[in-house]
């Protein structure tokens, strides 16, 4: 069974640009969540989608957005990039939403903003 | 608010020995899950072990076991017979409810170095 797939793996953007990251969950998983990892802030929850609906949202500005498609694939978008957005963005999937479901991560997308 | 604390920024262990990585948590939600993940330098978060708040027995997965002490709100990871490939960052995480609904909170991590 294929794991969580994230694309692209590495990208470099300029301040003010926007970026879209893609995530394909494990087959059969309907919940997809996104996380930002930086050396200073550690791992922080961005948002979670289940059945194409945003179920939970972390404490991030509106420049960070996401969506989920009917096949459970998800995208996240960051507009008006800032230097501080440089991070590893991790996507994870689980069968269902809820506290007792194990989530599995992809390899992440390394974003550098210059 | 939910919180995970990992008080050991770095740990060293001799190959083939056992090591315990500490994790304490705080939540007011009676229903929660506790997780440990391993993150090598490549960046991928690898799921190791899970413990549900209602589970009576400590979880075990191969060389990994979780020492769950609910009253102390402690969920330490024990790695037996350490291997060189175990060198990585280890994150304790909790999934439960907070003001935003279901959320997933990570600790700051512990960097484990296995010495030959």
């Amino acid at each position: 069974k294929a794991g969580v797939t994230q694309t692209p793996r590495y990208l470099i953007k300029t301040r003010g640009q926007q970026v879209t990251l893609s995530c394909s969950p494990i087959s059969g998983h309907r919940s997809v969540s996104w996380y930002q990892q930086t050396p200073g802030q550690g791992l922080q929850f961005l948002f979670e989608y289940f059945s194409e609906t945003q179920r939970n949202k972390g404490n991030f500005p509106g420049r960070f957005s996401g969506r989920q498609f009917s096949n459970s694939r998800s995208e996240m978008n960051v507009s008006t990039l800032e230097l501080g957005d440089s991070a590893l963005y991790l996507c994870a999937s689980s069968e269902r939403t809820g506290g007792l479901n194990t989530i599995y991560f992809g390899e992440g997308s390394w974003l550098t903003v210059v | 608010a939910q919180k995970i604390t990992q008080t050991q920024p770095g740990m060293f262990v001799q190959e083939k020995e056992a090591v315990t990585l500490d994790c304490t948590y705080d939540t007011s939600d009676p229903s929660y899950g506790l997780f440990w993940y391993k993150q090598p330098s490549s960046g991928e978060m690898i799921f190791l072990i899970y413990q549900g708040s209602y589970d009576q027995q400590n979880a075990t997965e191969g060389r990994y076991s979780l020492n769950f002490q609910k009253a102390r709100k402690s969920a330490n990871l024990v790695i037996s017979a350490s291997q060189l490939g175990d060198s990585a960052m280890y994150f304790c995480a909790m999934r439960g409810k907070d003001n935003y609904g279901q959320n997933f909170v990570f600790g700051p991590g512990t960097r484990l170095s296995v010495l030959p």
Side-chain angles (χ1 to χ4, degrees), chain A residues 94-109:
Chain A
S94 63
E95 289 185 13
R96 296 173 297 277
T97 186
L100 306 184
N101 290 283
T102 299
I103 70 169
Y104 298 90
F105 286 84
E107 292 183 311
S109 293

Side-chain angles (χ1 to χ4, degrees), chain A residues 68-100:
Chain A
Q68 187 181 34
F69 303 95
S70 58
N71 61 359
S72 294
R73 192 177 69 85
S74 177
E75 289 181 348
M76 70 161 281
N77 183 277
V78 187
S79 63
T80 319
L81 284 165
E82 301 175 359
L83 295 179
D85 297 332
S86 295
L88 174 65
Y89 289 88
L90 289 160
C91 169
S93 76
S94 63
E95 289 185 13
R96 296 173 297 277
T97 186
L100 306 184

Side-chain angles (χ1 to χ4, degrees), chain A residues 9 31 35 37 43 45 48 55-57 59 88 90 94 96-107 110, chain B residues 31-33 35 37 39 41-45 47 50 52-54 91 95-96 100-104 106-107:
Chain A
R9 288 275 286 131
S31 170
Y35 303 83
Q37 187 177 21
L43 269 156
F45 169 76
E48 179 186 18
R55 295 302 176 106
N56 302 290
K57 189 176 186 303
N59 191 21
L88 174 65
L90 289 160
S94 63
R96 296 173 297 277
T97 186
L100 306 184
N101 290 283
T102 299
I103 70 169
Y104 298 90
F105 286 84
E107 292 183 311
W110 292 90
Chain B
S31 177
Y32 53 88
F35 305 80
Y37 289 87
Q39 187 178 42
S41 56
S42 62
E44 182 183 6
M45 294 284 280
F47 167 72
Y50 163 82
S53 58
Y54 298 120
F91 291 94
R95 189 168 187 176
Y100 297 98
Q102 290 288 344
N103 202 344
F104 208 90
F106 287 82

Side-chain angles (χ1 to χ4, degrees), chain A residues 39-51:
Chain A
Q41 299 296 323
L43 269 156
Q44 294 184 286
F45 169 76
L46 280 158
F47 28 66
E48 179 186 18
Y49 287 86
F50 182 77
S51 294

Side-chain angles (χ1 to χ4, degrees), chain B residues 78-90:
Chain B
V78 180
I79 305 175
S80 63
S82 298
Q83 302 172 355
L84 295 178
D86 293 336
S87 294
M89 280 291 286
Y90 288 81

